[in-house]
Amino acid sequence: MLAIFLVFIGVSVYAQQLNILELEEKKQQLAQEYEQTQQELYRLENKSEYMNTNDYIEDTAREKLGLAYEDEIIIETNKDESE
């Protein structure tokens, strides 16, 4: 009877140890995902702040719309002709 009880305790301890190892791995994985999410959040917050500036509006207008100040001259080069 004592032997059966000791085997049961041994199996239970072993199963709990496996469970603890799995939970530790999951904890490490979640910590890594949290860190990546925090970095992405930081990047997006910085981008959002930049997008609320006049510099962003000016850069976007220049890049996408080709706008320039009155006293500026825009020189365009055709990249396909460089062969």
Side-chain angles (χ1 to χ4, degrees):
M1 183 79 155
L2 181 61
I4 295 173
F5 178 71
L6 292 176
V7 169
F8 174 75
I9 294 296
V11 170
S12 295
V13 168
Y14 179 75
Q16 289 299 318
Q17 192 64 28
L18 288 178
N19 191 26
I20 289 171
L21 291 174
E22 288 176 9
L23 290 173
E24 284 294 326
E25 289 176 9
K26 184 70 173 174
K27 179 182 173 183
Q28 289 176 353
Q29 178 186 4
L30 289 172
Q32 184 178 13
E33 288 177 18
Y34 175 78
E35 182 62 33
Q36 291 172 346
T37 302
Q38 289 296 100
Q39 290 174 358
E40 180 68 7
L41 177 63
Y42 178 75
R43 186 188 68 78
L44 291 173
E45 285 174 343
N46 286 340
K47 184 176 181 180
S48 177
E49 287 176 16
Y50 172 65
M51 292 177 81
N52 288 322
T53 65
N54 288 336
D55 287 340
Y56 171 76
I57 296 168
E58 184 177 311
D59 291 344
T60 303
R62 288 174 178 272
E63 180 183 323
K64 299 195 185 239
L65 303 175
L67 298 179
Y69 288 110
E70 292 177 9
D71 59 342
E72 291 181 319
I73 299 172
I74 298 176
I75 300 174
E76 294 184 20
T77 59
N78 191 347
K79 294 178 184 176
D80 293 337
E81 292 181 8
S82 62
E83 296 177 21

